[in-house]
Amino acid sequence: VVAPAASVNSGTLILTIADLSRLLIVTHINQIDIAQVKPDSVVPFTSDAFSDIRSEAKISFIAPTATSVNNTNGFQVEALIDTPDPRLRPGMTVTLDIPVADVRDVVSVPISGVFSDVDDTRVVYVRQGSSSQKREVKIGVSNLFYAEIVSGLEQGEEILLIKPQDLSAG
């Protein structure tokens, strides 16, 4: 029985009961990638606190309007974890893996091997014996590590990961 007392005013919160049987991941997705995020899609996530927690969440909400977080326009996205690991707690951070593109059987190179030329075209330096040849390439899908090469390079060709100082010197 809860009875009024001098130290407890009407409407004071005494107890909060949390239902941890389902958890919600709230994140902010960049406006460039939001078109690829689909409601009801299942996305994998990992826990930052527990490296062995690998599970899935279902996209349950995508905000209709953009907001700015750290000077980046994007959209709030919520993903529901139906059966969370009991070690997960509200407020912990997780990493969602939301695929925004999928390509297979393509030529790709480390992003460090793709350079901007003077006219803002993308180039790679193809190794040819002890010298190299600058070649313009068209980039497709890329991430922080690799870039898909749509044209300008064939499978098996070797590229330099450091821009040569003087091509004429070989």
Side-chain angles (χ1 to χ4, degrees), residues 26-31 66-70 72-77:
V26 179
T27 189
H28 189 256
I29 304 293
N30 191 306
Q31 64 185 353
T67 56
S68 182
V69 174
N70 296 329
T72 301
N73 285 341
F75 294 80
Q76 179 176 319
V77 173

Side-chain angles (χ1 to χ4, degrees), residues 3-149:
S7 64
V8 179
N9 297 327
S10 175
T12 301
L13 180 65
I14 297 174
L15 176 68
T16 300
I17 299 174
D19 178 9
L20 301 179
S21 64
R22 291 173 36 165
L23 295 176
L24 190 66
I25 299 170
V26 179
T27 189
H28 189 256
I29 304 293
N30 191 306
Q31 64 185 353
I32 295 169
D33 299 322
I34 198 66
Q36 280 72 37
V37 179
K38 306 293 183 216
D40 298 325
S41 60
V42 177
V43 294
F45 73 90
T46 55
S47 166
D48 293 354
F50 304 102
S51 61
D52 62 324
I53 293 180
R54 299 182 192 289
S55 191
E56 294 180 332
K58 184 177 183 181
I59 302 292
S60 58
F61 173 76
I62 301 171
T65 58
T67 56
S68 182
V69 174
N70 296 329
N71 294 325
T72 301
N73 285 341
F75 294 80
Q76 179 176 319
V77 173
E78 296 178 359
L80 183 64
I81 309 170
D82 276 327
T83 53
D85 186 291
R87 295 173 291 171
L88 286 177
R89 296 281 183 257
M92 288 183 161
T93 56
V94 296
T95 301
L96 280 174
D97 292 325
I98 299 177
V100 294
D102 184 25
V103 293
R104 297 175 192 272
D105 299 324
V106 298
V107 175
S108 67
V109 297
I111 199 77
S112 61
V114 180
F115 303 94
S116 292
D117 210 5
V118 289
D119 57 354
D120 233 12
T121 59
R122 301 288 185 234
V123 297
V124 296
Y125 293 91
V126 180
R127 189 173 100 166
Q128 295 182 330
S130 61
S131 63
S132 62
Q133 173 195 27
K134 180 169 75 170
R135 195 177 301 167
E136 186 176 333
V137 292
K138 182 175 178 190
I139 303 295
V141 175
S142 65
N143 62 20
L144 295 175
F145 308 105
Y146 293 96
E148 173 194 9
I149 304 297

Side-chain angles (χ1 to χ4, degrees), residues 142-161:
S142 65
N143 62 20
L144 295 175
F145 308 105
Y146 293 96
E148 173 194 9
I149 304 297
V150 176
S151 64
L153 188 68
E154 297 297 321
Q155 183 173 340
E157 290 185 296
E158 294 182 22
I159 64 165
L160 304 179
L161 298 180

